[in-house]
Amino acid sequence: DNAKELQKKLLLLYNKKRQAAITAEICEISAAANAIASADAKGAAGPGLGVMDNEDSVAEDFMKELESGDVPDTPVSYDQFGPATREELPSA
């Protein structure tokens, strides 16, 4: 009897933990989808990478910007100095 009662309790605990993990995963996916949707709606995600851009070229360009001092020391809102949407960005 004690073994069966312990088995029921452990199974219930296991199922609750598993359900909590599933719920947390769904929350993370939902939050990411909302963030992407709101960034797309605002145009805040910035321009996409071009065909020739890759991990190496982007890092190299970023290092050049850092060395030249083109990157501000404090974050600046994109809306303060640039286009509000991706459609307003100049085409490369």
Side-chain angles (χ1 to χ4, degrees):
D1 287 337
N2 285 342
K4 286 186 180 187
E5 187 65 31
L6 180 61
Q7 181 185 13
K8 285 181 185 180
K9 287 181 181 181
L10 289 175
L11 183 60
L12 181 63
L13 179 64
Y14 170 78
N15 285 335
K16 285 183 178 183
K17 294 282 188 180
R18 187 171 66 86
Q19 186 61 46
I22 292 168
T23 302
E25 189 72 23
I26 291 171
C27 288
E28 289 177 15
I29 292 168
S30 176
N34 285 335
I36 291 169
S38 67
D40 285 345
K42 295 177 189 174
L49 295 176
V51 175
M52 301 305 289
D53 290 331
N54 61 37
E55 187 177 287
D56 297 327
S57 66
V58 171
E60 183 179 317
D61 290 344
F62 180 65
M63 290 308 296
K64 286 179 186 176
E65 290 176 2
L66 284 176
E67 290 168 0
S68 69
D70 291 341
V71 179
D73 292 332
T74 58
V76 178
S77 172
Y78 187 74
D79 295 338
Q80 291 177 357
F81 64 93
T85 65
R86 289 183 186 185
E87 288 76 25
E88 295 175 8
L89 290 172
S91 58

